[in-house]
């Protein structure tokens, strides 16, 4: 071996290099081309053991299937993640039976592919259907059975059901009950309930996740577990900690909440030219402390002034749901919040289910079965951010804020009052920590309709500028955020070696003191971090030795090995020819 490559055979090393490159490239090509086959084979293998009712090929969709793009796009709810450059999944799985979910989890682990779980697709950052590493989508839309038990005052709801379907099925059984979840009826149960969804009855009944009494989940070993077999720690985690870090949630059992025969809604607004500053100033103290039957959401938007042509102003609108009749509401509001000037003619009395349509922005008179429509009326490009406020802003600070809103021109705010039940539930009862002392939550919101990267960048810059502007007025150390308003700006992880450190950054913002308990649960149920995304709960750090068993790292290890060989080889070449 004294002269491995004598100058008389200069082509030899080059050929070897080419051969090596060829092996690397072709192996990665063939592995992606055959993923569909391998996966199918794996599903077929599991079919035998699990005795599935449906043939595996019916639940597996590869990019060559004509239905693939339609299926992929059918649950995209943010157009920013519906472009040609958005990373696409290698396969979409559409299970319709728990055993399909079990085998999908086991086969995804076997093939070392990342799995993204999608229920309603409303994630603001698309984490349920977009990933940077090669990935599969497990689409839960077939899991939408809803079983309402009025006697027990509970309902079983599949994770792929929408909130609208849940509200409709409850109403169909009894007009005396409802459920306290989100306002937009096309939201999916799986993402919403697992991350602590809220709606316009939160001051009376808390979050949707506060009313979960049982759940079914497929864990990383492919087992189907319910509350008693998963144990209280995991059951605690999937009521606010986000499902995607822990397993595939098949469904939840929720406690129905009583609603009166007649509820009342109103929407009244004022611009800053009409004393909105004073209105908003007072709202901050009144809305979180009024009767628990009353929820008064505040919307702040830059609008064109009606008084001064061409001028901009800010409109403050109060949107309310009251669990009672209009007479009681008007006298109550006029006593506590006379500045609002609420009149009976501003109010509309209706049944609770009609109020769901009103809040969902349906035209008045729309039939209730519109709630069964899973397609939203429109889908925009959007970005959302969140904040929590404990100290009311002063009138002077509000004036500065109006200037900023007018300057930016496009960003709006939704202020959601807390108080009531939200302040009574201890912060450690569920992973959702934003309880006593939080006056209201802010949603920063920007939406647009024009394609293109320039408009996207300019709008993202605007909402980020407003977020920075708000720093002095909102929660600090850390600045808190709401998991269901997912915002990748507050930190992400690539689920590598530093995942615990990276996870702590966004983790304490979403979960405060509950973060470490979530990490403990994660470490116990999924130590290899199979269930992961950009903002999942990391397991506690492991030694580098354990890293070699890390699922999905074999591919990386192979690449690193090849690179090291190439490097040594090139170094060798250099010395020979220098
Ligand atoms: C128009 C609109 C209005 C909204 N209004 C409200 C509101 O009023 N109140 C509120 O609280 N929030 C609201 N949200 C936010 C919404 O609650 C969250 O985006 C929620 O997570 C959506 O759930 P999903 O199943 O539709 O989303 P998906 O995008 O399917 O999932 C969201 C996350 O949960 C994970 N996940 C989904 N299903 C499962 C499962 N079965 N098992 C394990 N993990 C799963 C996903 O992987 C992803 O990380 C709104 C969002 C939009 C777009
Ligand atoms: C399927 O099962 C056969 C026989 O047990 C096994 O040899 C093969 O590796 C399995 N294939 C996959 C993709 O799991
Ligand atoms: C996808 O296409 C393959 C053949 O290319 C077919 O066997 C399979 O049934 C198709 N899957 C679905 C869900 O249509
Ligand atoms: C996604 O894009 C396709 C075409 O590129 C379009 O037909 C579809 O309506 C879009 N869907 C959403 C939800 O934006
Ligand atoms: C302000 O909001 C109210 C209630 O939503 C609306 O009636 C009013 O027209 C708005 N004013 C302007 C100037 O947009
Ligand atoms: C605005 O509200 C304050 C406090 O209620 C009141 O004193 C003032 O007269 C109002 N101004 C206008 C223009 O309505």
């Amino acid at each position: 071996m004294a002269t491995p490559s004598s100058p008389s055979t200069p082509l030899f090393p080059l050929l070897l290099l080419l051969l090596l490159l060829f092996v690397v490239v072709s192996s990665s090509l063939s592995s992606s081309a055959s993923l569909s086959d391998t996966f199918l084979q794996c599903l077929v293998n599991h079919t035998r053991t699990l005795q599935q009712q449906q043939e595996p090929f019916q639940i597996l969709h590869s990019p060559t299937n004509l239905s693939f793009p339609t299926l992929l796009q059918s649950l995209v709810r943010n157009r920013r993640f519906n472009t040609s450059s958005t990373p696409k999944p290698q396969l979409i799985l559409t299970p319709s039976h728990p055993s399909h979910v079990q085998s999908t989890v086991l086969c995804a682990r076997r093939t070392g592919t990342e799995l993204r779980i999608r229920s309603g697709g409303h994630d603001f950052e698309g984490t349920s259907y977009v990933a940077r590493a090669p990935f599969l989508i497990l689409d839960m839309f077939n899991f939408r059975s809803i079983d309402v038990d009025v006697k027990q005052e509970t309902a079983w709801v599949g994770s792929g059901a929408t909130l609208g379907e849940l509200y409709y099925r409850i109403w169909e059984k009894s007009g005396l009950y409802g459920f306290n979840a989100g306002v937009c009826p096309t939201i999916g149960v799986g993402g919403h309930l697992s991350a602590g969804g809220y709606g316009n009855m939160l001051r009376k009944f808390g979050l949707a996740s506060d009313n979960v009494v049982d759940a079914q989940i497929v864990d990383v070993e492919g087992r189907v577990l319910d509350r008693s077999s998963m144990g209280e720690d995991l059951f605690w985690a999937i009521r606010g900690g986000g499902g995607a870090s822990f397993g595939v949630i098949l469904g939840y059992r929720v406690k129905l909440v009583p609603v009166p025969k007649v509820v009342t809604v109103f929407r009244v607004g004022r611009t800053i030219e009409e004393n909105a500053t004073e209105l908003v100033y007072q709202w901050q103290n009144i809305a979180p402390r009024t009767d628990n039957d009353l929820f008064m959401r505040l919307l702040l938007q830059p609008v064109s002034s009606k008084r001064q042509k061409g001028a901009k102003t800010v409109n403050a609108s109060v949107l309310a749901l009251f669990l009672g009749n209009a007479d009681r509401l008007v006298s109550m509001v006029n006593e506590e919040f006379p500045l609002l000037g609420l009149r009976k003619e501003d109010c509309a009395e209706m049944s609770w289910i009609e109020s769901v349509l009103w809040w969902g922005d349906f035209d008045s008179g729309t039939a209730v079965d519109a709630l069964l429509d899973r397609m939203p009326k429109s889908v925009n490009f959007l970005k959302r951010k969140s904040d929590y406020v404990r100290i009311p802003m002063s009138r002077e600070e509000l004036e500065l804020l109006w200037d900023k809103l007018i300057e930016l021109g496009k960003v709006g705010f939704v202020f959601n009052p807390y108080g009531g039940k939200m302040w009574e539930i201890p912060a450690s009862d569920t992973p959702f920590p934003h309880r006593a002392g939080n006056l209201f939550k802010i949603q920063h919101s920007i939406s647009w309709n024009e394609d293109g990267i320039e408009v996207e960048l300019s709008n993202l810059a605007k909402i980020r500028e407003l977020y920075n502007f708000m720093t002095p007025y909102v929660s600090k150390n850390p600045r808190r955020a709401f998991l269901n308003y997912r915002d990748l700006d507050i930190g992400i992880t690539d689920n590598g070696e530093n995942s615990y450190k990276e996870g702590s950054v966004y983790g304490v913002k979403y979960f405060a003191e509950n973060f470490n308990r979530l990490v403990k649960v994660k470490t116990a149920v999924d130590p290899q971090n199979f269930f992961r995304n950009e903002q999942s709960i990391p397991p506690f750090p492991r030694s580098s030795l354990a890293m070699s068993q890390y699922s999905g790292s074999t591919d990386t290890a192979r690449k690193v090995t090849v690179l090291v060989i190439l490097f040594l080889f090139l170094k060798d070449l250099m010395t020979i020819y220098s």
Side-chain angles (χ1 to χ4, degrees), residues 503-523:
S504 308
V505 174
Y506 54 82
V508 296
K509 295 174 186 167
Y510 285 138
F511 307 112
E513 60 273 27
N514 292 327
F515 175 65
N516 266 325
R517 183 167 172 200
L518 286 168
V519 175
K520 248 183 237 166
V521 178
K522 171 73 175 182
T523 309

Side-chain angles (χ1 to χ4, degrees), residues 40 57-62 64-67 94:
L40 189 62
F57 64 82
Q58 288 177 291
I59 69 161
L60 186 130
H61 311 259
S62 77
T64 53
N65 288 96
L66 282 177
S67 56
T94 55

Side-chain angles (χ1 to χ4, degrees), residues 69 72-84 375-376 378-381:
L72 177 61
Q73 288 158 16
S74 64
L75 284 166
V76 169
R77 297 291 177 261
N78 185 348
R79 283 180 65 195
R80 281 173 57 211
F81 308 109
N82 186 35
T83 69
S84 52
M375 275 314 284
S378 66
V379 177
N380 289 331
F381 297 90

Side-chain angles (χ1 to χ4, degrees), residues 37-46 48 107 110-111:
D37 295 337
T38 315
F39 213 90
L40 189 62
Q41 187 54 50
C42 181
L43 289 178
V44 169
N45 279 5
H46 284 289
R48 284 192 208 109
C107 293
R110 203 194 148 97
T111 56

